[in-house]
Every structure is written in C-alpha cells, then in structure tokens.
Amino acid sequence: EVQLVESGGGLVQPGGSLRLSCVASGFTFSSYEMNWVRQAPGKGLEWVSYITARGDTTFYADSVKGRFIFSRDNAKNSMYLQMNSLRAEDTAVYYCAREILRCGGDCNDYWGQGTQVTVAS
Amino acid sequence: QSALTQPASVSGSPGQSITISCTGTSGDVGAYNYVSWYQQHPGKAPKLMIYEVSNRPSGVSSRFSGSKSGNTASLTISGLQAEDEADYYCTSYTLSGSPFYVFGAGTKVTVL
C-alpha cells in the first residue's frame, strides 16, 4: 500500500525555520517525482515545490523561492522541505504528494495526510 | 490572485450533469494538455480525478470526464451523486516561468 507520512509541522515565530519531512512506503520512491502543496486556512490549494526523481532539479513557487529548500534522500525513502524566514502567510497545511510516472503536468495520485504549519508570535 | 479562473460554485440535483470550467491562458492551459482536476472533501487530502486533460486514474468513476478547448478546460460530472459534493480544483503546467504549476481558486459543488 502506498503511503506518504508527513511530520515536522508546528508553531513557529515569524522569521523562524522549520523542516518538514515526508516518509514514503509501498512504492519505489526513487523512481518518482514529488511535490509539496499547501493550503492556507479556508483557502485553496497552492503548489509550493517540485523535485525530480533523482533530486537533481527543483522548482519553487515565487512565494517561497529563496526561503524554502526541497530535498530528498532516496536511500531513506524520504523528502524534506526546509522552510526559512517564515512569514504569517506561510501558515497552512502542507501536503507531500507523488506524481504519476511519466505524467505531463501536476498529476499527484497519492497524498500525505498533511502537517499543519502555523507562523505566529 | 489565482492564475486559473474557476466559478466559485456550481450546483445540481442528483442525477444531473454539471460542468466546471477552468480558464487560463496560452501560457498554461492552452499550451499543453497538462491539466489536472482534484476533488477535496472537507478536512481531507485532495484526490486526483483527471490528469492530462481527460485521463482518469484507476478507481475514479467514469462519471467524471475532462476536456479542453483553447485556453479553457472543463470537468464534467454526470449522474451527480451526494458524495460528489466537494471542492474541485483545476491545475495546469505553466510556461510562464515560476510557478511551475498553477491552481485555480476552486469550485464548490453542491448537490441540491
């Protein structure tokens, strides 16, 4: 069974840092491109970042570029989102998600349960 | 402001068909057949319903179908059922630099 389990969320002050983790199981993690998607309270979905299967290429939304770093460790079936210089507007539920193999576009067929990040003083 | 435009709400009676539109530009929806649709129930993670404009993942009901014309993609739900009541989001790959993917603001589907 495919599973994605996020952790690392919590309450952090503005300007602080947080590292989210997502552990994958039930599939060959190293073969899949992955994404982070977030959802602010009462708002819609927002794509945050993408990483290739090998982890050699990443893309970021403008809203997080220069502050967030997406990485992965295929040997540990894990991926990470290092979030720095956090702002109130980064408050959201963060989901990790797996893309369908060889799919064109944002085709996330499996999602984690989400982890809450709250940025407040 | 979302890059893709969706109606805020759409409603229909059980058994009816409804269509949700998703309008972008020649730099995203119109550029490639890389439009996906997600369903999200309250408090739950999104579920992929359609990818690459009209493909259904395994396990998704054939009542859900997708199409595209020019810069507008559409999701049609036929034979509307109570469990279809949810938020629906379209998303597209974009050529316009960052972001890599863009979402619509979402459409609330209400089953009357």
Side-chain angles (χ1 to χ4, degrees):
Chain A
E1 179 192 5
V2 172
Q3 281 196 314
L4 298 169
V5 179
E6 301 102 336
S7 62
L11 174 64
V12 61
Q13 292 187 338
S17 298
L18 214 54
R19 188 195 196 207
L20 305 184
S21 299
C22 175
V23 178
S25 60
F27 65 101
T28 305
F29 179 68
S30 59
S31 297
Y32 288 80
E33 299 161 356
M34 304 293 293
N35 288 284
W36 287 98
V37 177
R38 68 184 181 183
Q39 188 167 34
K43 302 297 184 181
L45 300 172
E46 179 188 14
W47 170 77
V48 173
S49 187
Y50 157 94
I51 194 167
T52 55
R54 287 167 45 177
D56 53 356
T57 301
T58 52
F59 292 98
Y60 300 91
D62 282 343
S63 57
V64 307
K65 195 178 296 182
R67 301 187 298 123
F68 289 12
I69 300 172
F70 191 177
S71 63
R72 66 191 294 165
D73 185 340
N74 287 341
K76 295 183 178 180
N77 289 342
S78 297
M79 56 192 248
Y80 310 97
L81 188 66
Q82 178 65 43
M83 304 186 296
N84 302 320
S85 302
L86 283 162
R87 308 166 179 167
E89 53 264 37
D90 295 318
T91 295
V93 173
Y94 285 73
Y95 296 99
C96 61
R98 184 190 88 166
E99 284 200 4
I100 293 175
L101 285 174
R102 295 177 294 280
C103 177
D106 183 17
C107 329
N108 295 301
D109 61 346
Y110 282 92
W111 295 63
Q113 82 286 358
T115 187
Q116 176 70 50
V117 172
T118 302
V119 184
S121 53
Chain B
Q1 185 174 355
S2 300
L4 305 181
T5 300
Q6 298 181 234
S9 63
V10 173
S11 62
S13 299
Q16 286 186 330
S17 293
I18 61 170
T19 297
I20 304 168
S21 61
C22 172
T23 301
T25 69
S26 58
D28 39 63
V29 173
Y32 295 103
N33 290 329
Y34 291 161
V35 176
S36 300
W37 290 90
Y38 293 93
Q39 175 193 67
Q40 187 181 34
H41 288 106
K44 300 294 187 181
K47 176 184 178 182
L48 182 66
M49 305 304 285
I50 295 288
Y51 67 96
E52 293 176 339
V53 174
S54 60
N55 294 324
R56 271 190 314 275
S58 174
V60 171
S61 172
S62 58
R63 298 186 298 105
F64 293 83
S65 62
S67 62
K68 192 187 85 167
S69 177
N71 297 334
T72 298
S74 299
L75 173 72
T76 298
I77 309 174
S78 57
L80 200 61
Q81 298 180 2
E83 60 260 36
D84 299 333
E85 185 161 298
D87 293 322
Y88 291 82
Y89 297 89
C90 64
T91 179
S92 172
Y93 174 74
T94 176
L95 294 174
S96 307
S98 186
F100 192 55
Y101 298 133
V102 289
F103 276 96
T107 298
K108 171 66 177 176
V109 168
T110 300
V111 181
L112 301 172

